[in-house]
mmCIF file of all heavy atoms in Angstrom:
data_model
loop_
_atom_site.group_PDB
_atom_site.id
_atom_site.type_symbol
_atom_site.label_atom_id
_atom_site.label_comp_id
_atom_site.label_asym_id
_atom_site.label_seq_id
_atom_site.Cartn_x
_atom_site.Cartn_y
_atom_site.Cartn_z
ATOM 1 N N MET A 1269 -1.074 8.679 6.729
ATOM 2 C CA MET A 1269 0.083 9.339 6.120
ATOM 3 C C MET A 1269 -0.319 10.526 5.255
ATOM 4 O O MET A 1269 0.475 11.431 5.020
ATOM 5 C CB MET A 1269 0.875 8.344 5.266
ATOM 6 C CG MET A 1269 1.575 7.262 6.056
ATOM 7 S SD MET A 1269 2.801 6.372 5.061
ATOM 8 C CE MET A 1269 1.801 5.814 3.694
ATOM 9 N N ASN A 1270 -1.544 10.530 4.756
ATOM 10 C CA ASN A 1270 -1.981 11.547 3.805
ATOM 11 C C ASN A 1270 -2.307 12.859 4.501
ATOM 12 O O ASN A 1270 -2.690 12.886 5.672
ATOM 13 C CB ASN A 1270 -3.221 11.037 3.056
ATOM 14 C CG ASN A 1270 -3.327 11.618 1.670
ATOM 15 O OD1 ASN A 1270 -2.340 11.693 0.953
ATOM 16 N ND2 ASN A 1270 -4.515 12.028 1.277
ATOM 17 N N GLY A 1271 -2.170 13.950 3.749
ATOM 18 C CA GLY A 1271 -2.574 15.257 4.226
ATOM 19 C C GLY A 1271 -3.952 15.608 3.696
ATOM 20 O O GLY A 1271 -4.843 14.756 3.610
ATOM 21 N N ARG A 1272 -4.099 16.849 3.255
ATOM 22 C CA ARG A 1272 -5.410 17.335 2.797
ATOM 23 C C ARG A 1272 -5.443 17.702 1.326
ATOM 24 O O ARG A 1272 -6.416 18.291 0.854
ATOM 25 C CB ARG A 1272 -5.823 18.554 3.618
ATOM 26 C CG ARG A 1272 -6.087 18.252 5.086
ATOM 27 C CD ARG A 1272 -6.499 19.513 5.826
ATOM 28 N NE ARG A 1272 -6.880 19.220 7.206
ATOM 29 C CZ ARG A 1272 -7.223 20.168 8.093
ATOM 30 N NH1 ARG A 1272 -7.209 21.443 7.737
ATOM 31 N NH2 ARG A 1272 -7.556 19.823 9.327
ATOM 32 N N LEU A 1273 -4.402 17.362 0.585
ATOM 33 C CA LEU A 1273 -4.306 17.845 -0.789
ATOM 34 C C LEU A 1273 -4.862 16.869 -1.822
ATOM 35 O O LEU A 1273 -5.076 17.250 -2.962
ATOM 36 C CB LEU A 1273 -2.848 18.174 -1.128
ATOM 37 C CG LEU A 1273 -2.197 19.244 -0.244
ATOM 38 C CD1 LEU A 1273 -0.792 19.542 -0.728
ATOM 39 C CD2 LEU A 1273 -3.027 20.523 -0.221
ATOM 40 N N ARG A 1274 -5.069 15.617 -1.463
ATOM 41 C CA ARG A 1274 -5.679 14.665 -2.383
ATOM 42 C C ARG A 1274 -6.325 13.533 -1.594
ATOM 43 O O ARG A 1274 -5.980 13.299 -0.434
ATOM 44 C CB ARG A 1274 -4.655 14.088 -3.369
ATOM 45 C CG ARG A 1274 -3.646 13.153 -2.751
ATOM 46 C CD ARG A 1274 -2.639 12.617 -3.775
ATOM 47 N NE ARG A 1274 -3.247 11.668 -4.679
ATOM 48 C CZ ARG A 1274 -3.294 10.361 -4.478
ATOM 49 N NH1 ARG A 1274 -2.776 9.838 -3.376
ATOM 50 N NH2 ARG A 1274 -3.845 9.567 -5.371
ATOM 51 N N GLU A 1275 -7.267 12.860 -2.245
ATOM 52 C CA GLU A 1275 -7.950 11.734 -1.628
ATOM 53 C C GLU A 1275 -7.229 10.431 -1.975
ATOM 54 O O GLU A 1275 -6.701 10.278 -3.069
ATOM 55 C CB GLU A 1275 -9.396 11.661 -2.114
ATOM 56 C CG GLU A 1275 -10.265 12.848 -1.711
ATOM 57 C CD GLU A 1275 -10.485 12.925 -0.206
ATOM 58 O OE1 GLU A 1275 -10.573 11.843 0.432
ATOM 59 O OE2 GLU A 1275 -10.555 14.044 0.317
ATOM 60 N N ILE A 1276 -7.211 9.506 -1.039
ATOM 61 C CA ILE A 1276 -6.688 8.163 -1.306
ATOM 62 C C ILE A 1276 -7.656 7.452 -2.245
ATOM 63 O O ILE A 1276 -8.873 7.469 -2.030
ATOM 64 C CB ILE A 1276 -6.533 7.372 0.000
ATOM 65 C CG1 ILE A 1276 -5.534 8.061 0.932
ATOM 66 C CG2 ILE A 1276 -6.093 5.938 -0.290
ATOM 67 C CD1 ILE A 1276 -4.142 8.170 0.379
ATOM 68 N N THR A 1277 -7.132 6.831 -3.293
ATOM 69 C CA THR A 1277 -7.963 6.152 -4.278
ATOM 70 C C THR A 1277 -7.894 4.634 -4.088
ATOM 71 O O THR A 1277 -6.945 4.113 -3.491
ATOM 72 C CB THR A 1277 -7.513 6.490 -5.700
ATOM 73 O OG1 THR A 1277 -6.218 5.893 -5.936
ATOM 74 C CG2 THR A 1277 -7.424 7.998 -5.907
ATOM 75 N N PRO A 1278 -8.876 3.905 -4.635
ATOM 76 C CA PRO A 1278 -8.796 2.450 -4.589
ATOM 77 C C PRO A 1278 -7.525 1.903 -5.240
ATOM 78 O O PRO A 1278 -6.972 0.901 -4.781
ATOM 79 C CB PRO A 1278 -10.053 2.000 -5.337
ATOM 80 C CG PRO A 1278 -11.028 3.126 -5.134
ATOM 81 C CD PRO A 1278 -10.187 4.366 -5.161
ATOM 82 N N GLN A 1279 -7.051 2.584 -6.308
ATOM 83 C CA GLN A 1279 -5.820 2.124 -6.942
ATOM 84 C C GLN A 1279 -4.632 2.279 -6.001
ATOM 85 O O GLN A 1279 -3.743 1.414 -5.961
ATOM 86 C CB GLN A 1279 -5.549 2.887 -8.237
ATOM 87 C CG GLN A 1279 -4.299 2.373 -8.964
ATOM 88 C CD GLN A 1279 -3.974 3.145 -10.226
ATOM 89 O OE1 GLN A 1279 -4.633 4.140 -10.553
ATOM 90 N NE2 GLN A 1279 -2.960 2.695 -10.948
ATOM 91 N N ASP A 1280 -4.604 3.370 -5.232
ATOM 92 C CA ASP A 1280 -3.534 3.547 -4.250
ATOM 93 C C ASP A 1280 -3.495 2.362 -3.289
ATOM 94 O O ASP A 1280 -2.434 1.780 -3.031
ATOM 95 C CB ASP A 1280 -3.753 4.825 -3.434
ATOM 96 C CG ASP A 1280 -3.653 6.093 -4.251
ATOM 97 O OD1 ASP A 1280 -2.977 6.069 -5.293
ATOM 98 O OD2 ASP A 1280 -4.243 7.104 -3.838
ATOM 99 N N VAL A 1281 -4.650 2.016 -2.769
ATOM 100 C CA VAL A 1281 -4.722 0.915 -1.805
ATOM 101 C C VAL A 1281 -4.272 -0.390 -2.458
ATOM 102 O O VAL A 1281 -3.498 -1.158 -1.876
ATOM 103 C CB VAL A 1281 -6.148 0.788 -1.243
ATOM 104 C CG1 VAL A 1281 -6.233 -0.379 -0.255
ATOM 105 C CG2 VAL A 1281 -6.577 2.084 -0.562
ATOM 106 N N ASP A 1282 -4.724 -0.637 -3.682
ATOM 107 C CA ASP A 1282 -4.355 -1.871 -4.378
ATOM 108 C C ASP A 1282 -2.852 -1.963 -4.594
ATOM 109 O O ASP A 1282 -2.247 -3.030 -4.410
ATOM 110 C CB ASP A 1282 -5.071 -1.956 -5.729
ATOM 111 C CG ASP A 1282 -6.552 -2.269 -5.582
ATOM 112 O OD1 ASP A 1282 -6.956 -2.736 -4.503
ATOM 113 O OD2 ASP A 1282 -7.307 -2.036 -6.546
ATOM 114 N N GLU A 1283 -2.228 -0.851 -5.001
ATOM 115 C CA GLU A 1283 -0.797 -0.870 -5.301
ATOM 116 C C GLU A 1283 0.046 -1.094 -4.046
ATOM 117 O O GLU A 1283 1.058 -1.791 -4.082
ATOM 118 C CB GLU A 1283 -0.377 0.431 -5.997
ATOM 119 C CG GLU A 1283 -0.889 0.576 -7.422
ATOM 120 C CD GLU A 1283 -0.099 -0.267 -8.414
ATOM 121 O OE1 GLU A 1283 0.940 -0.844 -8.029
ATOM 122 O OE2 GLU A 1283 -0.523 -0.346 -9.584
ATOM 123 N N TYR A 1284 -0.350 -0.479 -2.935
ATOM 124 C CA TYR A 1284 0.400 -0.681 -1.697
ATOM 125 C C TYR A 1284 0.137 -2.055 -1.096
ATOM 126 O O TYR A 1284 0.987 -2.613 -0.395
ATOM 127 C CB TYR A 1284 0.040 0.408 -0.676
ATOM 128 C CG TYR A 1284 0.745 1.721 -0.913
ATOM 129 C CD1 TYR A 1284 0.183 2.709 -1.731
ATOM 130 C CD2 TYR A 1284 1.980 1.979 -0.323
ATOM 131 C CE1 TYR A 1284 0.828 3.916 -1.949
ATOM 132 C CE2 TYR A 1284 2.638 3.178 -0.535
ATOM 133 C CZ TYR A 1284 2.056 4.142 -1.344
ATOM 134 O OH TYR A 1284 2.704 5.328 -1.572
ATOM 135 N N TRP A 1285 -1.019 -2.609 -1.371
ATOM 136 C CA TRP A 1285 -1.380 -3.915 -0.839
ATOM 137 C C TRP A 1285 -0.786 -5.052 -1.665
ATOM 138 O O TRP A 1285 -0.494 -6.135 -1.150
ATOM 139 C CB TRP A 1285 -2.907 -4.043 -0.793
ATOM 140 C CG TRP A 1285 -3.427 -5.266 -0.133
ATOM 141 C CD1 TRP A 1285 -2.976 -5.849 1.029
ATOM 142 C CD2 TRP A 1285 -4.522 -6.075 -0.575
ATOM 143 N NE1 TRP A 1285 -3.727 -6.959 1.343
ATOM 144 C CE2 TRP A 1285 -4.692 -7.126 0.369
ATOM 145 C CE3 TRP A 1285 -5.390 -6.011 -1.665
ATOM 146 C CZ2 TRP A 1285 -5.675 -8.103 0.241
ATOM 147 C CZ3 TRP A 1285 -6.384 -6.976 -1.785
ATOM 148 C CH2 TRP A 1285 -6.508 -8.008 -0.840
ATOM 149 N N ALA A 1286 -0.573 -4.810 -2.963
ATOM 150 C CA ALA A 1286 -0.161 -5.875 -3.891
ATOM 151 C C ALA A 1286 1.068 -6.656 -3.425
ATOM 152 O O ALA A 1286 1.077 -7.891 -3.523
ATOM 153 C CB ALA A 1286 0.067 -5.296 -5.283
ATOM 154 N N PRO A 1287 2.135 -6.014 -2.929
ATOM 155 C CA PRO A 1287 3.315 -6.803 -2.541
ATOM 156 C C PRO A 1287 3.073 -7.761 -1.383
ATOM 157 O O PRO A 1287 3.885 -8.662 -1.149
ATOM 158 C CB PRO A 1287 4.353 -5.732 -2.162
ATOM 159 C CG PRO A 1287 3.887 -4.495 -2.851
ATOM 160 C CD PRO A 1287 2.405 -4.571 -2.841
ATOM 161 N N SER A 1288 1.969 -7.578 -0.642
ATOM 162 C CA SER A 1288 1.712 -8.459 0.495
ATOM 163 C C SER A 1288 1.395 -9.883 0.060
ATOM 164 O O SER A 1288 1.306 -10.782 0.904
ATOM 165 C CB SER A 1288 0.560 -7.906 1.346
ATOM 166 O OG SER A 1288 -0.675 -7.952 0.643
ATOM 167 N N GLN A 1289 1.242 -10.102 -1.259
ATOM 168 C CA GLN A 1289 1.070 -11.469 -1.758
ATOM 169 C C GLN A 1289 2.344 -12.296 -1.533
ATOM 170 O O GLN A 1289 2.303 -13.517 -1.599
ATOM 171 C CB GLN A 1289 0.733 -11.440 -3.250
ATOM 172 C CG GLN A 1289 1.857 -10.906 -4.136
ATOM 173 C CD GLN A 1289 1.446 -10.719 -5.578
ATOM 174 O OE1 GLN A 1289 1.295 -11.687 -6.309
ATOM 175 N NE2 GLN A 1289 1.245 -9.466 -5.982
ATOM 176 N N PHE A 1290 3.470 -11.605 -1.294
ATOM 177 C CA PHE A 1290 4.742 -12.284 -1.065
ATOM 178 C C PHE A 1290 5.036 -12.304 0.437
ATOM 179 O O PHE A 1290 5.252 -11.245 1.033
ATOM 180 C CB PHE A 1290 5.878 -11.566 -1.793
ATOM 181 C CG PHE A 1290 5.632 -11.367 -3.262
ATOM 182 C CD1 PHE A 1290 5.394 -10.087 -3.772
ATOM 183 C CD2 PHE A 1290 5.627 -12.438 -4.136
ATOM 184 C CE1 PHE A 1290 5.168 -9.898 -5.125
ATOM 185 C CE2 PHE A 1290 5.396 -12.255 -5.492
ATOM 186 C CZ PHE A 1290 5.161 -10.980 -5.987
ATOM 187 N N PRO A 1291 5.072 -13.466 1.065
ATOM 188 C CA PRO A 1291 5.379 -13.517 2.506
ATOM 189 C C PRO A 1291 6.717 -12.858 2.842
ATOM 190 O O PRO A 1291 6.873 -12.279 3.921
ATOM 191 C CB PRO A 1291 5.416 -15.022 2.799
ATOM 192 C CG PRO A 1291 4.590 -15.655 1.726
ATOM 193 C CD PRO A 1291 4.802 -14.797 0.508
ATOM 194 N N GLU A 1292 7.668 -12.925 1.902
ATOM 195 C CA GLU A 1292 8.991 -12.332 2.158
ATOM 196 C C GLU A 1292 8.906 -10.806 2.273
ATOM 197 O O GLU A 1292 9.734 -10.187 2.956
ATOM 198 C CB GLU A 1292 9.960 -12.716 1.040
ATOM 199 C CG GLU A 1292 10.202 -14.206 0.903
ATOM 200 C CD GLU A 1292 9.158 -14.908 0.040
ATOM 201 O OE1 GLU A 1292 8.195 -14.237 -0.413
ATOM 202 O OE2 GLU A 1292 9.296 -16.123 -0.174
ATOM 203 N N PHE A 1293 7.945 -10.192 1.597
ATOM 204 C CA PHE A 1293 7.759 -8.747 1.707
ATOM 205 C C PHE A 1293 7.297 -8.376 3.109
ATOM 206 O O PHE A 1293 7.799 -7.416 3.711
ATOM 207 C CB PHE A 1293 6.737 -8.271 0.673
ATOM 208 C CG PHE A 1293 6.221 -6.875 0.915
ATOM 209 C CD1 PHE A 1293 7.009 -5.768 0.644
ATOM 210 C CD2 PHE A 1293 4.939 -6.667 1.420
ATOM 211 C CE1 PHE A 1293 6.543 -4.476 0.871
ATOM 212 C CE2 PHE A 1293 4.450 -5.387 1.650
ATOM 213 C CZ PHE A 1293 5.256 -4.287 1.380
ATOM 214 N N ILE A 1294 6.344 -9.125 3.633
ATOM 215 C CA ILE A 1294 5.872 -8.868 4.991
ATOM 216 C C ILE A 1294 7.029 -9.004 5.976
ATOM 217 O O ILE A 1294 7.203 -8.177 6.881
ATOM 218 C CB ILE A 1294 4.741 -9.837 5.360
ATOM 219 C CG1 ILE A 1294 3.573 -9.719 4.373
ATOM 220 C CG2 ILE A 1294 4.279 -9.590 6.785
ATOM 221 C CD1 ILE A 1294 2.887 -8.400 4.381
ATOM 222 N N ALA A 1295 7.850 -10.038 5.789
ATOM 223 C CA ALA A 1295 8.995 -10.235 6.676
ATOM 224 C C ALA A 1295 9.988 -9.083 6.554
ATOM 225 O O ALA A 1295 10.516 -8.590 7.562
ATOM 226 C CB ALA A 1295 9.676 -11.565 6.355
ATOM 227 N N ALA A 1296 10.250 -8.644 5.325
ATOM 228 C CA ALA A 1296 11.218 -7.567 5.116
ATOM 229 C C ALA A 1296 10.775 -6.275 5.788
ATOM 230 O O ALA A 1296 11.592 -5.570 6.408
ATOM 231 C CB ALA A 1296 11.430 -7.341 3.619
ATOM 232 N N THR A 1297 9.495 -5.931 5.675
ATOM 233 C CA THR A 1297 9.015 -4.698 6.305
ATOM 234 C C THR A 1297 9.095 -4.797 7.826
ATOM 235 O O THR A 1297 9.425 -3.818 8.503
ATOM 236 C CB THR A 1297 7.575 -4.389 5.868
ATOM 237 O OG1 THR A 1297 6.729 -5.516 6.124
ATOM 238 C CG2 THR A 1297 7.515 -4.064 4.377
ATOM 239 N N ARG A 1298 8.832 -6.000 8.350
ATOM 240 C CA ARG A 1298 8.993 -6.197 9.800
ATOM 241 C C ARG A 1298 10.452 -6.050 10.196
ATOM 242 O O ARG A 1298 10.782 -5.381 11.186
ATOM 243 C CB ARG A 1298 8.453 -7.579 10.183
ATOM 244 C CG ARG A 1298 8.578 -7.909 11.666
ATOM 245 C CD ARG A 1298 9.859 -8.678 11.954
ATOM 246 N NE ARG A 1298 10.084 -8.835 13.393
ATOM 247 C CZ ARG A 1298 11.280 -9.022 13.938
ATOM 248 N NH1 ARG A 1298 12.376 -9.075 13.188
ATOM 249 N NH2 ARG A 1298 11.404 -9.140 15.246
#
């Protein structure tokens, strides 16, 4: 999804990954 204007950081990955602790979130995105 990213372009060339900034690098993806570990915090970015953590924040987007965090809701996956909830099974209902995975279901909702599906």
Side-chain angles (χ1 to χ4, degrees):
M1269 292 194 304
N1270 209 44
R1272 294 180 175 177
L1273 300 183
R1274 70 181 289 269
E1275 296 294 326
I1276 298 298
T1277 68
Q1279 183 182 4
D1280 294 335
V1281 179
D1282 287 343
E1283 289 283 352
Y1284 280 90
W1285 186 42
S1288 67
Q1289 66 187 286
F1290 306 110
E1292 299 85 357
F1293 166 75
I1294 302 296
T1297 54
R1298 179 266 172 205

